[in-house]
C-alpha cells in the first residue's frame, strides 16, 4: 500500500468521516486517521458524536422518555401501568448497542468507498506529512496533497472540579452511570447540561442545575427560553441562574459544592456532579511547530470562508474552527472542503445552521434572535402561534410551546425562526429551507400545510407576522 494520498483527514467524527467519504466519492485517494477507542478497546469511528455525544445521549433521552411517559403522560390516555422500573444494565446496554451499530457502520462505509483508516493519533508535519502514533507508541508517516484537520473538541474542565470519572463527570461519564443517583448536580444550563440532566431527572434523580449566567439559554430567543425554563421546572428540574460554582470537594462518595449568587454563598451536596460548561477545540499535539497553521485566542484553527488555513493544501473543519460546535455544521464543512479540493463548488451557510436541544419540550431555531436584530438596529416584525391551539399537539397530549417567526419589517424576508414544543427538531428544517431560498414570511404563509399536523404551527406563525392568523386572535 502506498503511503501517498490525495487527501488525509485527521479525525473521524461527523466532520472528518464525512469529509473522507465525500473525497473518496469524488475519486480522491483518501485516508482517515483517528485514535478513539471504544469500550471493547478497538478503534471506534465517529468521534465524540457517535461514541459519547449525539447518538448515545439521544438513545438515553428516548429510553428515559418512555419510562417517564408511563406515569406522567399515559394516564391521560386512560392507560395505567403499575410498579414500572428500570433495569439499568439493559438501559445502558441498549445505548451501547446503538453506538456499536453506528460506529461499525462508518467502518463499512469506509470499505465501500475505499477510504483507508489508520488507528492512532495524527499530527500534521511540514509539507503535508502526517505522523501517526499508535496506542502502543509505534509511529508511521504518511503524506498527501491535501490534509483536512478535523480534530474536534473536548469538554472544558474546571480547575476546582476536575473530572475523576466517578463523582465528578463529563458528558461521557453521564452516559454510563450504572445507578440512578439520588442527587445529581449539573454545572451549566446549556445543551449538554439540560439534555443529560433531563435523562436522570426522568428516572427519579433530584437534579439541580447551576448556571453562572443571569439569563437562561441566552443563546436562544428569550421568548422560547422563557417557555422552556417554565416547563423544565414543572418537570422537577431545579435551575439556579447567576449561580457560580466556587468549590467542589469529594467527601465520602458525595460532592460538596459551594456556589455564589446575588444573595451570597450557598452550599449543596450531591451524589454526582456533571460539569457541562462548554467545550473547547482539541488541538493538543495536532500541529508540529513549523507547519504554519495558526490558532486563534480560543485555541481554534484559523481558517478563511472556505475553511482553508492559509497553508497550501491544509484545511480545517468542525468543532476545531470558528462557528457553532454542531455535528451537522461540521459534516457540511467536510462535504464542502472535499468538493473544493476536487475543483467543485462547495457551500456552507453558517447563518442558517439549525440548533436543536432534545429536551421535552424540544427547542430548535435558525437565524437571528429578536435581541440580535434589535442590537443590530435591523427593523423586524414578529408572528407567533402556540401549540395549545394545534389539534395534533392536543391529541398527543403535548400541547406545550410555540413557534415564533421573525421577518424583516420592510422586505418580509425571514430572519429567524424559533420553536419550543413537540417535534420541533424536525419542524425547523422547513424554516431552514425557506431561509436558504431567501423566502419571506408570506411564502411560508401561502404554502399549504397538512391537517392535522404539528407543522400547522409554523404556518399560523407565518400568517401571524401580518396579523392574518386564523386560529388565534391577532
Amino acid at each position: 500500500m502506498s503511503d501517498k494520498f490525495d487527501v488525509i483527514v485527521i479525525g473521524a467524527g461527523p466532520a472528518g468521516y464525512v469529509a473522507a467519504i465525500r473525497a473518496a466519492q469524488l475519486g480522491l485517494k483518501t485516508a482517515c486517521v483517528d485514535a478513539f477507542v471504544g469500550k471493547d478497546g478497538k478503534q471506534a469511528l465517529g468521534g465524540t458524536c457517535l461514541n459519547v455525544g449525539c447518538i448515545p445521549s439521544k438513545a438515553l433521552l428516548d429510553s428515559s422518555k418512555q419510562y417517564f411517559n408511563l406515569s406522567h403522560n399515559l394516564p391521560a390516555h386512560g392507560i395505567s401501568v403499575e410498579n414500572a422500573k428500570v433495569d439499568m444494565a439493559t438501559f445502558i446496554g441498549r445505548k451501547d448497542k446503538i453506538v456499536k451499530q453506528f460506529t461499525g457502520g462508518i467502518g463499512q462505509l469506509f470499505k465501500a468507498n475505499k477510504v483507508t483508516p489508520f488507528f492512532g493519533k495524527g499530527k500534521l508535519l511540514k509539507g503535508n506529512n502526517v505522523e501517526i502514533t499508535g496506542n502502543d507508541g509505534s509511529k508511521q508517516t504518511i503524506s498527501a496533497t491535501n490534509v483536512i484537520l478535523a480534530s474536534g473538541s473536548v469538554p472544558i474542565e474546571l480547575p476546582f472540579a476536575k473530572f475523576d470519572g466517578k463523582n465528578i463527570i463529563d458528558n461521557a461519564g453521564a452516559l454510563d452511570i450504572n445507578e440512578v443517583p439520588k442527587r445529581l448536580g449539573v454545572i451549566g444550563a446549556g445543551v449538554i447540561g439540560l439534555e443529560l440532566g433531563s435523562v436522570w431527572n426522568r428516572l427519579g434523580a433530584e437534579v439541580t442545575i447551576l448556571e453562572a449566567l443571569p439569563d437562561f439559554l441566552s443563546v436562544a430567543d428569550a421568548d422560547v427560553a422563557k417557555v422552556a425554563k417554565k416547563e423544565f421546572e414543572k418537570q422537577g428540574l431545579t435551575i439556579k441562574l447567576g449561580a457560580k460554582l466556587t468549590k467542589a470537594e469529594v467527601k465520602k462518595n458525595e460532592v460538596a459544592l459551594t456556589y455564589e449568587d446575588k444573595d451570597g454563598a450557598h452550599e449543596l451536596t450531591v451524589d454526582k456532579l456533571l460539569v457541562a460548561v462548554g467545550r473547547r477545540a482539541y488541538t493538543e499535539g495536532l500541529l508540529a511547530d513549523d507547519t504554519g497553521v495558526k490558532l486563534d485566542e480560543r485555541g481554534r484553527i484559523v481558517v478563511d470562508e472556505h475553511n482553508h488555513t492559509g497553508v497550501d493544501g491544509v484545511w480545517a473543519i468542525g468543532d476545531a474552527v470558528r462557528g457553532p460546535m454542531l455535528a451537522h455544521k461540521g459534516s457540511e464543512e467536510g462535504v464542502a472542503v472535499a468538493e473544493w479540493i476536487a475543483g467543485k463548488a462547495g457551500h456552507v451557510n453558517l447563518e442558517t445552521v439549525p440548533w436543536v436541544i432534545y429536551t421535552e419540550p424540544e427547542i430548535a431555531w435558525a437565524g437571528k434572535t429578536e435581541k440580535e436584530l434589535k442590537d443590530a438596529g435591523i427593523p423586524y416584525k414578529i408572528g407567533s402561534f402556540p401549540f395549545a391551539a394545534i389539534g395534533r399537539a392536543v391529541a398527543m397530549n403535548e400541547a406545550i410551546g410555540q413557534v415564533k417567526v421573525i421577518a424583516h419589517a420592510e422586505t418580509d424576508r425571514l430572519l429567524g425562526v424559533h420553536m419550543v414544543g413537540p417535534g420541533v427538531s424536525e419542524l425547523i428544517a422547513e424554516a431552514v429551507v425557506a431561509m436558504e431560498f431567501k423566502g419571506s414570511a408570506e411564502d411560508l404563509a401561502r404554502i399549504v400545510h397538512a391537517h392535522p399536523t404539528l407543522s400547522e404551527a409554523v404556518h399560523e406563525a407565518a400568517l401571524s407576522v401580518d396579523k392574518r392568523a386564523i386560529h388565534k386572535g391577532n
Side-chain angles (χ1 to χ4, degrees):
M1 179 182 67
S2 172
D3 291 332
K4 177 68 175 181
F5 295 87
D6 297 314
V7 176
I8 297 172
V9 183
I10 300 179
Y17 86 75
V18 170
I21 290 173
R22 184 62 183 132
Q25 288 176 345
L26 292 167
L28 300 170
K29 185 181 179 182
T30 305
C32 187
V33 183
D34 193 82
F36 204 102
V37 179
K39 281 189 170 183
D40 59 3
K42 299 178 181 178
Q43 183 177 34
L45 302 171
T48 292
C49 180
L50 268 68
N51 285 281
V52 292
C54 320
I55 300 304
S57 65
K58 303 312 164 285
L60 294 190
L61 279 162
D62 191 73
S63 293
S64 64
K65 179 181 178 181
Q66 305 303 327
Y67 176 74
F68 185 83
N69 282 343
L70 288 177
S71 57
H72 292 80
N73 291 334
L74 291 186
H77 296 273
I79 303 170
S80 61
V81 178
E82 296 182 0
N83 301 319
K85 61 181 181 180
V86 177
D87 178 80
M88 290 306 297
T90 303
F91 183 81
I92 298 298
R94 174 181 177 270
K95 177 263 297 181
D96 290 341
K97 183 178 179 181
I98 291 170
V99 168
K100 188 73 173 176
Q101 174 185 338
F102 277 89
T103 57
I106 296 174
Q108 293 301 314
L109 288 170
F110 275 10
K111 288 182 180 178
N113 289 281
K114 296 182 173 57
V115 175
T116 303
F118 286 87
F119 190 14
K121 182 175 175 58
K123 180 177 185 178
L124 178 67
L125 307 178
K126 187 177 181 180
N128 296 0
N129 294 305
V130 173
E131 180 184 76
I132 304 169
T133 303
N135 290 341
D136 59 359
S138 62
K139 294 181 183 294
Q140 63 176 309
T141 301
I142 58 177
S143 63
T145 306
N146 291 275
V147 177
I148 303 175
L149 306 174
S151 53
S153 62
V154 292
I156 294 173
E157 187 175 46
L158 297 174
F160 48 85
K162 290 187 175 296
F163 303 128
D164 61 18
K166 181 181 178 183
N167 298 104
I168 302 177
I169 55 179
D170 60 7
N171 60 289
L175 294 168
D176 272 330
I177 299 175
N178 56 18
E179 183 179 353
V180 180
K182 182 179 180 182
R183 302 159 299 178
L184 174 66
V186 179
I187 308 303
V191 176
I192 295 172
L194 289 173
E195 289 186 354
L196 293 179
S198 293
V199 167
W200 298 105
N201 174 63
R202 293 172 189 168
L203 298 182
E206 298 174 7
V207 179
T208 302
I209 301 177
L210 304 181
E211 170 56 57
L213 296 175
D215 298 318
F216 180 71
L217 270 184
S218 58
V219 68
D221 188 84
D223 289 337
V224 163
K226 182 179 179 181
V227 172
K229 182 174 184 291
K230 182 178 179 181
E231 292 303 321
F232 295 154
E233 290 175 334
K234 280 185 181 180
Q235 294 167 15
L237 288 172
T238 299
I239 302 171
K240 296 182 180 294
L241 301 177
K244 184 177 181 181
L245 182 71
T246 58
K247 186 178 181 181
E249 187 176 1
V250 178
K251 297 180 178 179
K252 296 182 179 179
N253 214 33
E254 296 179 333
V255 187
L257 308 178
T258 302
Y259 68 93
E260 296 179 355
D261 61 16
K262 59 182 177 59
D263 297 320
H266 307 270
E267 294 183 351
L268 174 69
T269 300
V270 297
D271 299 296
K272 289 189 181 294
L273 179 67
L274 166 60
V275 179
V277 294
R279 300 178 66 84
R280 60 178 179 81
Y282 177 62
T283 54
E284 283 83 353
L286 177 66
L287 306 168
D289 294 337
D290 57 355
T291 62
V293 176
K294 297 179 180 178
L295 304 180
D296 66 14
E297 69 283 354
R298 294 171 58 181
R300 300 174 302 186
I301 301 167
V302 176
V303 294
D304 63 16
E305 67 274 16
H306 292 104
N307 289 81
H308 194 259
T309 64
V311 176
D312 189 33
V314 180
W315 315 72
I317 57 177
D319 283 5
V321 303
R322 79 288 179 267
M325 289 184 171
L326 299 170
H328 43 282
K329 172 261 192 183
S331 293
E332 292 306 315
E333 287 179 330
V335 169
V337 166
E339 292 178 347
W340 283 321
I341 289 172
K344 298 184 178 296
H347 170 265
V348 179
N349 182 5
L350 297 181
E351 295 299 315
T352 56
V353 174
W355 291 67
V356 179
I357 303 177
Y358 297 87
T359 45
E360 290 291 330
E362 292 182 340
I363 304 167
W365 69 93
K368 300 295 185 183
T369 65
E370 185 176 351
K371 183 179 185 301
E372 288 172 332
L373 294 171
K374 188 177 294 184
D375 290 345
I378 297 173
Y380 62 88
K381 51 185 177 178
I382 294 172
S384 63
F385 197 82
F387 281 102
I390 295 296
R392 180 70 187 279
V394 174
M396 294 165 56
N397 199 39
E398 295 184 42
I400 296 169
Q402 66 175 357
V403 174
K404 177 177 179 179
V405 173
I406 309 177
H408 196 285
E410 298 165 358
T411 67
D412 198 42
R413 179 174 172 179
L414 290 170
L415 300 176
V417 180
H418 307 268
M419 309 177 179
V420 54
V424 299
S425 59
E426 303 292 342
L427 295 182
I428 195 61
E430 176 181 8
V432 173
V433 170
M435 293 171 70
E436 274 291 334
F437 282 93
K438 317 300 182 188
S440 65
E442 184 177 4
D443 289 328
L444 277 183
R446 290 190 178 277
I447 294 173
V448 178
H449 288 68
H451 173 77
T453 61
L454 298 175
S455 69
E456 290 177 281
V458 180
H459 187 214
E460 290 273 7
L463 286 165
S464 177
V465 170
D466 288 317
K467 304 188 184 305
R468 297 167 51 204
I470 301 299
H471 295 95
K472 76 161 192 172
N474 291 297

